[in-house]
Amino acid sequence: MLFLLWFKVKQPENVSQKQLMEIWKREAEAALSAVKAGKIKGLYKVSGKREVVAIIDVNSHEELDEILETLPIMKELGHSVTVEVTPIHPYENFYELMKKLT
């Protein structure tokens, strides 16, 4: 199951810029490990914003919840992070469906 995840990070008033970057560094290390493992299919930083976009491949909705709850940035800044979750599927699958339906 593929999902598009859009992370929006708001810096809490009690967290310094340096602390935020340290947390984000731990998050990046975890995310890049997941890319190497094949769990994350695409990972992008939105230029000029504290936002990251990821395409993740999971086996279930429960696995998605587990992954999100164990991310370093969610553990440390969860109340300051918004995650938009959108289910997606390959365009080729959609094309095959269109051929079948027409």
Side-chain angles (χ1 to χ4, degrees):
M1 302 173 75
L2 295 174
F3 289 91
L4 173 71
L5 306 177
W6 198 296
F7 295 85
K8 297 178 181 183
V9 179
K10 182 179 178 194
Q11 183 175 349
E13 290 182 23
N14 65 337
V15 174
S16 71
Q17 179 73 11
K18 183 178 180 182
Q19 290 171 316
L20 179 63
M21 292 302 108
E22 288 170 356
I23 294 167
W24 210 316
K25 180 183 172 208
R26 288 190 290 279
E27 178 64 29
E29 290 166 350
L32 292 173
S33 292
V35 170
K36 288 180 185 174
K39 189 54 70 175
I40 296 178
K41 302 298 183 184
L43 184 62
Y44 307 91
K45 165 68 175 66
V46 178
S47 299
K49 296 183 178 185
R50 290 189 173 136
E51 298 180 11
V52 173
V53 178
I55 298 173
I56 187 170
D57 189 5
V58 295
N59 295 316
S60 66
H61 296 108
E62 293 80 9
E63 182 183 9
L64 174 62
D65 280 340
E66 180 180 345
I67 288 169
L68 288 174
E69 292 304 321
T70 59
L71 294 173
I73 204 159
M74 296 302 284
K75 286 182 175 180
E76 299 180 52
L77 294 176
H79 59 284
S80 298
V81 179
T82 302
V83 184
E84 295 176 13
V85 179
T86 305
I88 59 175
H89 61 96
Y91 199 80
E92 294 84 1
N93 295 2
F94 177 69
Y95 172 67
E96 292 302 321
L97 176 63
M98 292 302 97
K99 289 192 328 187
K100 180 178 157 185
L101 293 176
T102 56

